[in-house]
Amino acid sequence: MILNRRTLIVGAAATLAGCDRLAKNETVREALFSAENFHRWAQRSLMARDALVHEFRPDQISPFFRPNGTANPNTPEYKALWRTGFADWRLQVGGLVERPLSLSLAQLHAFPHREQITRHDCVEGWSAIGKWRGVPLKRVLDAARLRDGARYIVLHCADDMGGGNGYYESIDRVDAFHPQTILAFALNDQPLRVANGAPLRLRVERQLGYKQAKYLMRIEAVTSLDGIGGGKGGFWEDHAGYDWYAGI
Amino acid sequence: MDGARSEPKSAEPKPVLRHRWPTRLWHWTNALLLYVLFTSGLGIFNAHPRLYWGQYGANFDHPWLTLERFGSWITLPAHYNLAMSRHWHLTAAPVFAFALLFYMLWSLFGRHLGRDLAFRRGELAPRHVWQDVRDHARLRFPTGEAALRYNVLQKASYIGVIFVALPLIILTGLTMSPGMNAAWPWLVELFGGRQSARSIHFITAFALAAFFLVHMLMVILAGPLNEVRSMITGRYKVPEARS
């Protein structure tokens, strides 16, 4: 036969090398990266603005919720906060708001809570189900009163990803005001462990795992993502080319 | 096969119009897109080469399949880059899905389905199916008039691919998206949870790869030049009837 395994492998590798070369072409690259916009538009057209993700029963919770990414920020500042049980930790809420806030954990707990058993879908392909408890982000943003120009909410984290780049993520107003978008301080009825983002992390349930920013320090309302980090709206977006819209 | 005309038998076989242009266009679009989707899909799979059944599944849970990472000769890009694999996959996927949708509608209304793919009376009788299996096994391909109609195994494969495997891989693919799961929560439940859907997506991808290999084998055995030409120009030379 003309096609033996070796020919097939060499052929496949050559074609794939061709695809790789193609991907270096600026136009092709732009097309590949802009598929995200189509998916965001299509998904948002298909779903109600406040469409909820499925919430599971307690018996469907994963036996162990896999932590991923930073397991411990380990910076001197974070360690100092951790040693005192985050008594000195404050969540700063600023940027385009009329009333900047500085909230302690106790003050956050005083807000109305929401509890939800949801599935965490990692961009890598695995899923874990956990019960989260926290304050709807909407409540905090309402307390800080967003100004008109505020289009995105940026979440700055305590973990240093190397080279002075802090982890950060951002979401738009649609997801920021979604009823299931919460600032979570508890997982499976326990205060967040360090590996899962203590003392506070974001849950934005209609998006993938890398959007669920851990070790929250500061929330900033902005008009544009330019000038923050690498300008693409998140650490992995800047450094690995991940899609900013992670509902896909 | 589309638009097959009854040609009077003559000494030199005249080419007949076998495939109409929508079939040809869709075929080659698919060839390209499935190649990109399969190779970039393996690149994505490499990020977590374990498969589970049910709603959840991560490193501490029990996988039904654990593989080594696929080699760079078969992944797109040819090195591990999850972001780029996803960009390729998510760019090709909507084009692939809408192309299938249009082709299904055309097959239905353009009578490709009714005329060429639907089983005829008696074709599904065990004796007839068995005869067809034996002919395939002995590589006795139909000639003359019979070569202008799909046989029962061909019909079953094409119907299975167009109306079962391809829709299944698209729908399970959609449930990989947390956004789509908020939009259509019933879909992921239909497959028994996101990790089950991911497993079905993977299995279907390899079923399609198997179809591709058998398809290639059949084209080569049935006369590659005539077959490939008929899928490019639509013209097909009818093999002379065996005496």
Side-chain angles (χ1 to χ4, degrees), chain B residues 91-200:
Chain B
T91 302
V95 185
F96 171 69
F98 282 107
L100 176 68
L101 183 66
F102 287 126
Y103 189 68
M104 279 175 150
L105 291 174
W106 175 81
S107 296
L108 198 62
F109 295 109
R111 297 188 45 235
H112 178 42
L113 182 62
R115 192 163 59 188
D116 307 315
L117 294 178
F119 295 110
R120 300 264 169 265
R121 189 194 303 271
E123 263 183 348
L124 288 176
R127 210 161 47 91
H128 185 267
V129 175
W130 179 238
Q131 184 59 43
D132 206 32
V133 170
R134 278 176 40 185
D135 286 346
H136 265 83
R138 285 151 59 204
L139 303 179
R140 259 178 81 91
F141 293 116
T143 55
E145 273 300 290
L148 287 175
R149 280 185 298 276
Y150 288 139
N151 55 61
V152 67
L153 289 187
Q154 271 178 306
K155 284 181 180 180
S157 330
Y158 294 147
I159 290 172
V161 165
I162 298 172
F163 294 96
V164 180
L166 296 183
L168 189 63
I169 206 159
I170 291 166
L171 294 174
T172 49
L174 281 175
T175 68
M176 296 300 99
S177 302
M180 282 311 300
N181 289 339
W184 294 349
W186 49 268
L187 188 59
V188 66
E189 287 310 306
L190 188 71
F191 298 119
R194 184 175 187 260
Q195 289 303 318
S196 292
R198 184 170 177 261
S199 292
I200 298 170

Side-chain angles (χ1 to χ4, degrees), chain B residues 42-131:
Chain B
L42 294 184
I44 296 171
F45 178 82
N46 277 353
H48 191 76
R50 296 154 59 97
L51 291 170
Y52 313 85
W53 293 117
Q55 303 277 2
Y56 63 79
N59 298 52
F60 300 91
D61 304 310
H62 181 68
W64 65 268
L65 183 68
T66 304
L67 294 178
E68 295 293 311
R69 282 185 171 182
F70 288 97
S72 60
W73 66 274
I74 190 77
T75 66
L76 177 64
H79 53 275
Y80 179 70
N81 184 333
L82 176 56
M84 277 317 291
S85 291
R86 278 173 54 86
H87 287 311
W88 279 108
H89 206 75
L90 298 172
T91 302
V95 185
F96 171 69
F98 282 107
L100 176 68
L101 183 66
F102 287 126
Y103 189 68
M104 279 175 150
L105 291 174
W106 175 81
S107 296
L108 198 62
F109 295 109
R111 297 188 45 235
H112 178 42
L113 182 62
R115 192 163 59 188
D116 307 315
L117 294 178
F119 295 110
R120 300 264 169 265
R121 189 194 303 271
E123 263 183 348
L124 288 176
R127 210 161 47 91
H128 185 267
V129 175
W130 179 238
Q131 184 59 43

Side-chain angles (χ1 to χ4, degrees), chain A residues 12 15-16 19-20 32-33 35 39 43 47 56 60 62-64 66 119 121 124-127 206 240-241 243 247-248, chain B residues 35 48 55-57 59-60 73 75-78 82-83 86-88 90-91 94 177-179 181-183 194-195 198:
Chain A
T15 321
L16 286 164
C19 283
D20 282 352
L32 290 178
F33 275 72
H39 286 277
Q43 291 192 2
M47 70 172 122
F56 295 86
Q60 293 173 301
S62 294
F64 180 75
R66 177 188 166 180
R119 195 189 56 235
D121 296 328
E124 295 167 359
W126 53 269
S127 307
R206 295 187 297 191
D243 289 316
I248 320 164
Chain B
Y35 177 71
H48 191 76
Q55 303 277 2
Y56 63 79
N59 298 52
F60 300 91
W73 66 274
T75 66
L76 177 64
L82 176 56
R86 278 173 54 86
H87 287 311
W88 279 108
L90 298 172
T91 302
S177 302
N181 289 339
R194 184 175 187 260
Q195 289 303 318
R198 184 170 177 261

Side-chain angles (χ1 to χ4, degrees), chain A residues 216-238:
Chain A
L216 295 182
M217 298 300 287
R218 187 158 64 88
I219 290 178
E220 185 186 9
V222 297
T223 303
S224 155
L225 298 170
D226 298 341
I228 299 168
K232 299 216 170 84
F235 175 80
W236 290 114
E237 289 88 328
D238 288 340

